[in-house]
Amino acid sequence: MNIRNVSGDLIGWFIGATIALPQALAFGTMTGAGALSGLYGAMFLCFFSGIFGVNVPIISGPTGPAAIILASVYAGLGGNLSALWAVLFLASIFQIILSFTKIPNLVKYVPYPVISGFMNGVGVILIILQIAPFLGIKGYATPLLTFKNFSYIMSNINTEALVIGLFSLWILIYTPKTVKKYIPSEIFALILGTFFAQIYKLDIPTISGLTGGLPTVVSADFSNIIHISSLALMIAVICSTESLMTGLVVSSLTKKKINNQTLIFAQGIGNSIASLFGGISGAGATMRSVAAIKTGATTKLSTIFCGILILLAVLYGDELVNMVPMATLAAILIRVGYNIIDTKFLKVLHCAPKEDLMVMFLVLFLTIFHDIIFAVGVGITLSAMLFAKQLADKTTLNIKDVEDRETAKLEKQIHDESHYKIRVVHIQGEFFFGSASQIISQFEDLLGTRHIILCYDSDRKLDISAVFALEDILARLKSQGIKVYMVLRNAEILKQIDEMHIKRQLDDEEIFFEEIDAINCAKEEYRKYIKLEIRRAAIKSRRFLFHFKK
């Protein structure tokens, strides 16, 4: 085992755990099951998903989308904890069953506007649900209840809680990046918010009621099995989807392929054990996992260690945790909600295709005011219908000349002459949300090439998923030192990638409308490279002979 990898996992474990700890407290409290349930969920899910899961650092635990669903389910069950544990145990069984099917592999076909609308909706819900706790009042389970009681909330503001909440939020936003590299801002907010609340003896709500000790098996109420099964399936889908999305991000960062079925199986095992001991369900958390990876984590050891650290906090940190102000937790969740919002898509709203905007805003609205699963289902269906309409509108009689054999011959010749250091790659067919992830994965085989001529053969404008996929392709190739030339069919596509800020990945001299021009440019660049290499080799040879003679 590589010592450097282990040390990286240890650092990543600490960073992941310090982010997971305050968020687990906050999410557990938000659901109504209690802060301890959040800690148990993070502890068991991290530990067992690490043991049974894929060998990459996926830090798991309660997350925003899962917590929102659980809060709604718990309220719908009338605050019956035994029924909630039954729902969560069934949800974990559904996850395990799901892992033996091919369904987890379908996540790559979810259109980007649907994901964006879903994440934006979750972020907005998290922020809305924290309005009351941030102002020192007991929170409500849904955004509609919060809006319904808004006048009561505003007329009963606890000024001291508001001050602590604003102070905590200020720390979360303005902690310097150099400091956050070593200690997450959530930990600073938790410590300083609690310290000032205690030192000035402020009359504000705190977590309270948390007792240390090992968890015990809870009782589960399966009496209404038919009703709770539908709730369990909804939770299983949300937790699995979020874990798969995190898996995609982690795979991109670590350059390791992830078995989605193994990932969901491990999440199901972790959630099942958590539910038996009173822990709320969770999923792979993107922000925690990315933080762990950025600080050196490379394997699932960091995930296992994270669970152990949270166990130590449960056993020995209960007195400190009970002092944490609810306003500080609310501030942490407001910041989490903001981070969940897809600012990348929002920045290009002014030039995004109207069909993508329609899907995103519909999913956003339905997520906030109706139901997350329904919102995603409607978004996927609408995306498919709009795309089918676009293809139907483009279907016309097209009379083509015989294939340009000279160009094809020229491509083969350049591949052979340069020993595949120069390659011509055609993106044929429709480059859209369904094909974007597959096209990205195919580019892994081209690493090692020095010049790639990328020909987008369609004259159809790109959808938002394809635009971001193209940006990912260009960034990934350039990070490997590969020179990229782009051949486009028309100026409209060039205008689109310019408006979406993808063109900044390419210089003007690297964009062509004719393939032959791109080939000639690549050949000229490659000749320069060969001459330079010959010159360097000659210099090395002369230096060697000089030293040999001496």
Side-chain angles (χ1 to χ4, degrees):
M1 186 177 288
N2 192 314
I3 297 298
R4 184 179 293 179
N5 288 347
V6 173
S7 64
D9 283 326
L10 287 171
I11 298 169
W13 142 69
F14 177 76
I15 295 298
T18 50
I19 297 174
L21 194 65
Q23 290 187 5
L25 288 170
F27 287 132
T29 304
M30 191 191 90
T31 60
L36 192 58
S37 294
L39 290 175
Y40 284 167
M43 177 180 75
F44 284 113
L45 185 52
C46 259
F47 186 78
F48 287 101
S49 68
I51 288 176
F52 293 100
V54 291
N55 194 27
V56 290
I58 295 181
I59 309 298
S60 302
T63 60
I68 288 168
I69 287 288
L70 295 187
S72 177
V73 167
Y74 184 54
L77 294 170
N80 185 343
L81 270 176
S82 295
L84 179 65
W85 304 137
V87 170
L88 299 187
F89 182 76
L90 274 180
S92 64
I93 298 303
F94 284 140
Q95 276 192 285
I96 293 170
I97 294 171
L98 193 66
S99 72
F100 290 103
T101 70
K102 296 294 185 183
I103 294 175
N105 295 323
L106 298 179
V107 68
K108 62 187 176 184
Y109 296 109
V110 178
Y112 190 90
V114 176
I115 297 170
S116 181
F118 166 72
M119 298 309 292
N120 288 332
V122 167
V124 171
I125 290 173
L126 266 181
I127 292 170
I128 292 171
L129 293 183
Q130 300 319 304
I131 292 174
F134 192 77
L135 299 175
I137 300 162
K138 185 178 180 181
Y140 298 92
T142 65
L144 288 176
L145 283 174
T146 302
F147 290 137
K148 187 177 178 180
N149 293 278
F150 192 72
S151 59
Y152 169 79
I153 294 169
M154 297 309 294
S155 59
N156 290 275
I157 296 174
N158 183 326
T159 309
E160 293 178 341
L162 175 59
V163 170
I164 287 295
L166 289 171
F167 174 66
S168 303
L169 196 58
W170 182 84
I171 293 170
L172 291 165
I173 296 171
Y174 292 107
T175 300
K177 287 183 179 180
T178 52
V179 175
K180 285 194 285 188
K181 280 178 66 177
Y182 303 101
I183 302 177
S185 56
E186 288 92 341
I187 292 295
F188 272 128
L190 209 63
I191 293 172
L192 294 178
T194 304
F195 174 77
F196 283 109
Q198 292 298 314
I199 204 78
Y200 291 109
K201 300 188 185 307
L202 301 181
D203 183 21
I204 59 176
T206 60
I207 289 179
S208 68
L210 191 68
T211 55
L214 292 170
T216 56
V217 178
V218 296
S219 61
D221 179 10
F222 290 93
S223 58
N224 195 358
I225 189 73
I226 295 175
H227 173 62
I228 67 174
S229 293
S230 60
L231 298 174
L233 184 60
M234 177 172 63
I235 292 169
V237 171
I238 288 295
C239 290
S240 299
T241 302
E242 189 170 11
S243 295
L244 290 167
M245 295 299 178
T246 300
L248 284 175
V249 173
V250 170
S251 177
S252 175
L253 289 174
T254 61
K255 303 294 187 268
K256 293 181 181 178
K257 288 187 177 180
I258 289 177
N259 186 315
N260 288 335
Q261 292 168 291
T262 302
L263 172 60
I264 298 305
F265 175 78
Q267 294 288 319
I269 293 291
N271 279 327
S272 66
I273 297 171
S275 66
L276 292 175
F277 290 93
I280 60 174
S281 295
T286 303
M287 187 171 70
R288 297 166 217 167
S289 302
V290 169
I293 292 167
K294 293 291 186 183
T295 49
T298 56
T299 73
K300 62 184 182 181
L301 275 177
S302 57
T303 309
I304 298 169
F305 291 150
C306 183
I308 295 171
L309 183 60
I310 295 172
L311 170 62
L312 296 175
V314 169
L315 292 176
Y316 304 110
D318 54 303
E319 290 185 9
L320 291 173
V321 170
N322 283 329
M323 299 177 188
V324 175
M326 297 297 292
T328 295
L329 290 185
I332 290 171
L333 288 180
I334 288 171
R335 185 62 178 171
V336 171
Y338 173 79
N339 289 335
I340 287 175
I341 291 172
D342 183 16
T343 53
K344 181 179 180 179
F345 192 7
L346 296 181
K347 287 177 182 176
V348 296
L349 283 181
H350 65 286
C351 56
K354 62 181 180 180
E355 294 85 0
D356 290 337
L357 293 178
M358 187 189 307
V359 172
M360 193 275 284
F361 280 114
L362 179 62
V363 174
L364 170 64
F365 180 83
L366 291 175
T367 298
I368 297 172
F369 295 106
H370 186 64
D371 175 77
I372 289 177
I373 295 293
F374 180 75
V376 172
V378 169
I380 292 172
T381 303
L382 181 60
S383 292
M385 291 174 65
L386 289 171
F387 182 70
K389 181 181 181 300
Q390 288 176 359
L391 289 183
D393 291 343
K394 293 289 290 184
T395 304
T396 57
L397 287 175
N398 188 14
I399 302 172
K400 297 176 68 177
D401 293 330
V402 179
E403 178 186 358
D404 184 356
R405 293 181 181 177
E406 285 300 314
T407 304
K409 183 179 178 182
L410 182 61
E411 288 181 10
K412 185 178 185 308
Q413 182 183 346
I414 194 172
H415 290 172
D416 293 337
E417 287 178 355
S418 67
H419 303 289
Y420 287 88
K421 294 297 181 183
I422 301 175
R423 294 200 195 197
V424 180
V425 179
H426 292 267
I427 299 178
Q428 295 176 328
E430 298 299 338
F431 187 21
F432 68 108
F433 60 78
S435 60
S437 59
Q438 292 164 306
I439 289 172
I440 288 175
S441 65
Q442 290 174 25
F443 272 87
E444 300 293 341
D445 298 330
L446 299 177
L447 300 182
T449 301
R450 294 202 60 84
H451 301 267
I452 285 182
I453 299 164
L454 187 59
C455 303
Y456 178 56
D457 290 340
S458 175
D459 58 357
R460 178 179 173 272
K461 291 177 73 172
L462 304 163
D463 70 4
I464 198 72
S465 303
V467 167
F468 290 143
L470 178 60
E471 182 182 34
D472 191 16
I473 288 168
L474 293 173
R476 195 175 298 191
L477 292 175
K478 290 210 162 192
S479 71
Q480 299 294 324
I482 298 173
K483 181 87 169 177
V484 182
Y485 308 85
M486 192 84 194
V487 180
L488 304 173
R489 287 289 297 272
N490 56 56
E492 283 298 310
I493 300 170
L494 176 60
K495 180 183 177 184
Q496 184 191 22
I497 66 172
D498 188 22
E499 288 177 342
M500 304 292 272
H501 306 297
I502 308 302
K503 188 171 172 283
R504 63 189 173 190
Q505 297 277 1
L506 299 164
D507 297 328
D508 288 336
E509 60 267 25
E510 295 171 341
I511 299 174
F512 302 88
F513 293 109
E514 294 294 335
E515 183 181 337
I516 186 65
D517 295 335
I519 289 175
N520 289 333
C521 184
K523 287 171 70 175
E524 183 60 30
E525 287 291 326
Y526 186 62
R527 287 192 196 101
K528 290 178 182 177
Y529 166 76
I530 293 297
K531 288 177 182 177
L532 183 61
E533 287 298 302
I534 291 171
R535 194 176 298 119
R536 285 175 179 168
I539 292 170
K540 285 182 180 179
S541 177
R542 283 197 295 270
R543 286 176 178 171
F544 174 80
L545 288 173
F546 175 75
H547 287 296
F548 181 78
K549 288 177 180 178
K550 286 180 68 177

